[in-house]
Amino acid sequence: MAADCLFCKILRKEIPAEIVYENEAAVVIKDIQPCAPVHLLVIPKQHIESLNAIVPEQAAMLGQLQLAAQAAAVVAGTAQPGWRLISNVGPGGGQEVMHLHYHLIGGKILGWTPD
Ligand code: AMP
Ligand code: ZN
């Protein structure tokens, strides 16, 4: 946990968030500024800055994040026809909160717009 990290504060319940799903490694919350009918954030309970900072010993925990995303997609009703998982990495990737997270986007048919 990092003292001044927004997502660590959410994990400590110091800042409220709408939790959609939780497993041993991750919490999935609703994004406060959704860009699609379903826009969730899959957040590891461990503070890791980004995918630039992961190490092989975290592989099992990282797998738990994707299982949490799969379960949250079911809870949110977007497992079918489908959804997207994105992680912005660093300022060049558009990352604003420096605690690793995946955006789970769905609830509509998505175009491919990497910009
Ligand atoms: P990123 O730009 O990839 O770091 O994504 C950060 C995301 O966190 C953005 O989509 C924000 O809308 C979202 N966000 C910021 N503050 C909150 C909050 N308090 N609760 C939920 N989502 C948040
Ligand atoms: Zn953090």
Side-chain angles (χ1 to χ4, degrees), residues 33-113:
Q33 277 193 297
C35 70
V38 174
H39 185 174
L40 307 177
L41 299 172
V42 182
I43 303 172
K45 292 180 178 177
Q46 188 179 344
H47 180 87
I48 300 167
E49 191 168 295
S50 76
L51 288 178
N52 273 341
I54 61 172
V55 294
E57 291 70 27
Q58 292 165 333
M61 184 276 291
L62 294 166
Q64 289 287 325
L65 297 190
Q66 293 178 67
L67 291 167
Q70 179 198 57
V74 172
V75 170
T78 193
Q80 302 297 335
W83 47 286
R84 179 172 294 159
L85 202 59
I86 300 166
S87 191
N88 298 326
V89 181
Q95 185 178 7
E96 290 179 354
V97 179
M98 294 298 159
H99 178 133
L100 171 66
H101 55 282
Y102 291 101
H103 296 258
L104 193 170
I105 310 288
K108 66 173 186 178
I109 301 298
L110 301 167
W112 177 237
T113 54

